[in-house]
Amino acid sequence: MASKLTARKVDTAKPGKYSDGGNLYLIVSETGARKWVLRFTWRGRAKEMGLGSAASVPLADAREKAASARRKIAGGLNPIEERKRDGGVPTFGEMADDVREALSAGFRNEKHKAQWKSTLGTYAAPLRAKPVDTINTDDVLAVLKPIWTAKAETASRVRGRIEKVLDAAKAKGLRDGENPARWRGHLDHLLPRPSKLARGHHAAMPYEEVATFIADLRQREAKAALALEFCILTAARSGEVLGMQWSEINFDTKTWTVPADRMKAGREHRVPLSSRAIAILRQIEKLKTGEFVLPGLVRNKPMSNMAMEMVLRRMKVEDATVHGFRSSFRDWAGNVTGFAREVVETALAHVIGDKAEQAYRRSDALEKRRKLMEAWAAYCERRAATNVVSIGERRG
């Protein structure tokens, strides 16, 4: 094994190439010029990185520079490209944070902003430390492939957000060339189409079992159990229920009005409250401690988004989720009742029809939905032994 260089050898070496170990070399030209070079392999290709002239960079400093570059390589970074940061090129993570803040004014709510941060922070984590001008198609594919089929909807959002960050970098003159996260004409040749991917569905309890489940649920005294029953009876999303404030409840009209910034579709949604839903609110009202109907352990914060799921776990319900009860409601309404599809979809706060149809649909069918929700509440009062079937409203 060749011995390491010494300071004297560096000063007296004749023209040639001399190894110091760890792929660090002293190169002496025919003219006597001496320079430091680190050799490494990057994505299957041999690379050389200059570390400066031996006249100005002592042996100890050259070794430290080489060690720093090797650490970057071990961390998945190209040290040559990383050095460009000295010229002011931000990392993908820094650029993503800037883009998120710039776009946040247009986000529907804080939840959307948090989703931007969490998806890029979690799934695009391997990109965060890389200079934004060095990210290529292989980098993007390394992020997307592990989740492309397993978490199709999430993966599609991650891809779109990566594309937006890289587009912003190009607009600021920090990148050149095509966007490696672009779908059409690029990644669509390398990944299966999103429409052909299986989308995840929330496990749902068969609607025939919901009444028996609610009977068991009422044996629990926890406020989270009341929250879950209310969520089931209103067919609402868990986030809408947990963020509910007393100012949104009108006991006189038996209506809960969810503001647009807390709705997935970004539109205000009125929820007709059944007699049982009102009774639950009256019961919770006796313990009123702040603006939130369902306050959490932290002052001025709502109940944890895991509270209702934990009720299911404690009840050993393994084949259903909180969100899945919306599907239970939808299946019941479609199979058991005669309520029009549009009424049921509106009750679920789904957007119906194209933009033209939405423009002409002025009514939210509140009173028709009130009958629907009372019928659902009555169905949920049934016991498994009964044969009563809710008929609802017949189609015209």
Side-chain angles (χ1 to χ4, degrees):
M1 180 182 291
S3 60
K4 285 181 173 291
L5 294 172
T6 64
R8 179 176 175 78
K9 180 69 172 179
V10 171
D11 291 337
T12 61
K14 296 179 179 180
K17 179 178 70 175
Y18 303 88
S19 172
D20 187 57
N23 291 326
L24 173 63
Y25 293 89
L26 172 69
I27 308 295
V28 183
S29 71
E30 293 294 335
T31 63
R34 303 163 192 273
K35 67 178 180 179
W36 298 108
V37 170
L38 177 70
R39 292 186 171 180
F40 62 99
T41 300
W42 184 253
R43 292 185 177 138
R45 295 184 179 182
K47 298 285 185 180
E48 283 192 357
M49 178 182 181
L51 300 180
S53 167
S56 57
V57 179
L59 175 59
D61 290 352
R63 287 171 174 168
E64 177 53 37
K65 286 187 175 184
S68 176
R70 287 193 291 268
R71 286 193 292 270
K72 288 183 173 64
I73 295 168
L77 300 175
N78 183 330
I80 298 174
E81 299 295 345
E82 181 72 1
R83 192 160 56 184
K84 291 181 180 180
R85 292 199 61 203
D86 294 338
V89 178
T91 65
F92 177 86
E94 292 167 341
M95 193 72 208
D97 292 342
D98 289 345
V99 171
R100 188 183 73 251
E101 287 302 318
L103 298 177
S104 62
F107 290 160
R108 292 193 301 269
N109 49 46
E110 285 299 315
K111 181 179 179 181
H112 192 190
K113 183 176 179 180
Q115 287 174 337
W116 246 80
K117 182 177 181 179
S118 64
T119 53
L120 289 181
T122 300
Y123 300 106
L127 302 180
R128 288 193 65 83
K130 295 179 182 291
V132 74
D133 64 334
T134 68
I135 293 172
N136 58 31
T137 301
D138 288 339
D139 295 324
V140 175
L141 287 174
V143 166
L144 296 179
K145 281 185 174 180
I147 60 173
W148 192 252
T149 56
K151 300 180 179 180
E153 189 170 354
T154 297
S156 182
R157 289 173 179 170
V158 170
R159 185 210 61 78
R161 289 165 184 170
I162 293 173
E163 181 181 25
K164 190 171 288 291
V165 171
L166 297 181
D167 274 345
K170 184 175 182 179
K172 289 189 174 185
L174 299 172
R175 281 186 61 89
D176 295 315
E178 295 296 330
N179 192 321
R182 190 182 75 253
W183 175 252
R184 190 180 298 276
H186 186 55
L187 292 182
D188 60 348
H189 298 305
L190 304 173
L191 294 168
R193 295 180 64 84
S195 59
K196 294 184 179 181
L197 301 177
R199 295 187 178 271
H201 294 282
H202 296 273
M205 180 178 292
Y207 64 83
E208 298 92 340
E209 299 175 11
V210 172
T212 301
F213 169 76
I214 287 182
D216 292 339
L217 183 63
R218 290 180 186 174
Q219 302 303 310
R220 297 179 173 266
E221 297 181 356
K223 189 179 291 186
L226 289 173
L228 179 54
E229 183 181 355
F230 183 88
C231 192
I232 294 170
L233 293 175
T234 55
R237 298 179 178 89
S238 58
E240 296 158 10
V241 171
L242 294 172
M244 180 169 51
Q245 299 184 20
W246 288 111
S247 59
E248 299 168 6
I249 306 298
N250 189 322
F251 284 107
D252 293 333
T253 61
K254 296 184 178 181
T255 305
W256 166 33
T257 303
V258 190
D261 63 358
R262 290 206 299 106
M263 293 299 301
K264 184 176 182 179
R267 298 178 180 179
E268 181 182 275
H269 180 57
R270 292 194 300 170
V271 181
L273 299 173
S274 64
S275 298
R276 173 56 187 167
I278 289 290
I280 291 173
L281 291 176
R282 288 298 191 189
Q283 185 174 343
I284 296 174
E285 188 182 28
K286 296 175 183 177
L287 305 173
K288 185 176 179 181
T289 59
E291 61 180 335
F292 288 105
V293 176
L294 298 164
L297 297 176
V298 180
R299 184 178 177 81
N300 297 323
K301 293 289 185 180
M303 183 180 288
S304 165
N305 59 5
M306 282 299 296
M308 291 188 285
E309 290 289 353
M310 289 306 298
V311 172
L312 291 178
R313 292 185 190 181
R314 293 188 185 102
M315 295 178 70
K316 302 188 184 306
V317 176
E318 300 178 353
D319 54 354
T321 63
V322 175
H323 193 87
F325 283 103
R326 285 167 53 85
S327 294
S328 305
F329 166 79
R330 183 65 185 87
D331 291 343
W332 164 81
N335 295 340
V336 174
T337 82
F339 286 93
R341 172 184 172 277
E342 291 79 6
V343 173
V344 177
E345 294 299 317
T346 302
L348 290 165
H350 288 163
V351 176
I352 305 171
D354 56 23
K355 291 184 178 180
E357 183 179 353
Q358 293 166 29
Y360 283 102
R361 190 182 297 279
R362 304 298 179 92
S363 171
D364 62 358
L366 181 66
E367 293 310 313
K368 289 183 178 181
R369 288 191 291 119
R370 189 178 299 282
K371 294 178 182 178
L372 170 64
M373 303 319 290
E374 285 288 1
W376 173 235
Y379 182 86
C380 290
E381 289 288 339
R382 296 189 324 135
R383 295 297 179 267
T386 69
N387 293 317
V388 179
V389 176
S390 177
I391 301 301
E393 180 179 281
R394 296 187 181 279
R395 291 186 177 88

